[in-house]
Amino acid sequence: KSKGESGMLRYEGIVPGRFCQRVNRFTAWVELAEGRTLCHVKNTGRCAELLRPGAPVWCQHSDAPGRKTAYTLITVMRDGAYFNLDSTAPNALAAQWLASGGAGFLPEQLQREVSWEDSRFDLAFQRAGKPCLLEVKGVTLARDGAGVFPDAPTQRGTRHVRTLLRAAQAGYGAYVLFVAAMEHVVCVRPNEQNDPAFARALVEAQQAGVTLLALRCKVEPDAITPLAQIPVCLDAL
């Protein structure tokens, strides 16, 4: 994986294949040109709507020593749209996007992986002298033109949001940034049906002053690039 222009993340050594079967959270069988191959999956979410038998996928080859598999599943296509499944990509994209002023301001003293109370947050920075915490959530599920998070219940995600609520009450700048790893969505909304606790926490956090941001991305078989901000929709909750 390498950084490209405009915050793009580009993957080297990408080859096409067809998804066969998920083995566990970390591996899957994929039909490649060389035959049925065990591949690493860099996303421990269910991704059941995307990882269906026969789905077109793109995998990255690696010769790195110590690996159990030679390939990593990166991109999948569903209904003509590309989805990036690399769970490390949203954090990298978020840091680049924020540092370049994408959120409408230039952060100072930008740091990664900072703990506050019972949670570790993806990014911390100063904005006009005010300490700020930001948590990144990667979105891989789309329904009816909206990115939906989470695809499976997340106690960790709910804890993060509730801790950010307390941070906002303590005078911190507090942010949740949803990175939609797909191009065709017009907003992001919480998956109230699948995880009502997370949806409720998100509503309460916004009411307490936590800023909710969302970013949609252009996805290609070998790249992902931030495109534009989209709203976080809580209107139906």
Side-chain angles (χ1 to χ4, degrees):
K1 192 163 60 188
S2 61
K3 295 180 182 179
E5 66 278 6
S6 304
M8 172 190 288
L9 292 181
R10 184 170 292 282
Y11 301 86
E12 308 295 336
I14 290 288
V15 298
R18 292 277 176 178
F19 182 79
C20 298
Q21 179 184 358
R22 190 92 179 241
V23 178
N24 52 41
R25 294 171 66 198
F26 305 102
T27 55
W29 288 107
V30 175
E31 188 70 35
L32 300 175
E34 62 195 57
R36 188 175 161 102
T37 306
L38 193 64
C39 297
H40 175 52
V41 180
K42 289 182 77 172
N43 193 311
T44 57
R46 290 177 184 169
C47 305
E49 293 84 355
L50 298 175
L51 295 180
R52 295 178 170 179
V57 295
W58 288 263
C59 300
Q60 182 179 37
H61 181 262
S62 173
D63 292 321
R67 283 179 59 102
K68 295 181 180 179
T69 61
Y71 290 92
T72 298
L73 196 160
I74 298 294
T75 309
V76 59
M77 176 183 279
R78 182 185 175 188
D79 299 332
Y82 294 114
F83 294 76
N84 182 289
L85 295 185
D86 178 2
S87 61
T88 67
N91 280 14
L93 291 171
Q96 293 178 38
W97 179 76
L98 195 66
S100 67
F105 60 88
L106 288 173
E108 301 164 1
Q109 301 176 36
L110 185 62
Q111 298 174 274
R112 293 201 191 195
E113 299 292 328
V114 174
S115 294
W116 193 82
E117 283 197 0
D118 61 351
S119 297
R120 178 179 287 269
F121 293 101
D122 295 312
L123 296 168
F125 54 93
Q126 298 268 336
R127 180 182 180 183
K130 183 178 184 177
C132 300
L133 300 168
L134 184 147
E135 179 64 15
V136 180
K137 299 297 182 191
V139 182
T140 58
L141 176 61
R143 287 181 185 156
D144 302 320
V148 182
F149 183 91
D151 75 339
T154 171
Q155 292 182 350
R156 179 173 175 268
T158 301
R159 187 182 77 244
H160 279 147
V161 171
R162 295 215 171 275
T163 307
L164 283 172
L165 184 157
R166 295 194 299 274
Q169 291 173 334
Y172 280 70
Y175 301 80
V176 179
L177 172 60
F178 295 96
V179 178
M182 61 202 78
E183 184 173 351
H184 62 286
V185 294
V186 297
C187 68
V188 169
R189 63 176 69 253
N191 193 346
E192 184 184 23
Q193 180 181 3
N194 209 346
D195 194 343
F198 178 83
R200 188 165 55 249
L202 202 63
V203 170
E204 293 172 0
Q206 186 189 53
Q207 292 171 345
V210 177
T211 300
L212 306 183
L213 303 170
L215 182 63
R216 68 183 177 96
C217 299
K218 180 180 180 181
V219 178
E220 302 166 88
D222 65 345
I224 178 169
T225 311
L227 273 185
Q229 273 190 255
I230 53 177
V232 178
C233 299
L234 305 179
D235 50 301
L237 300 177

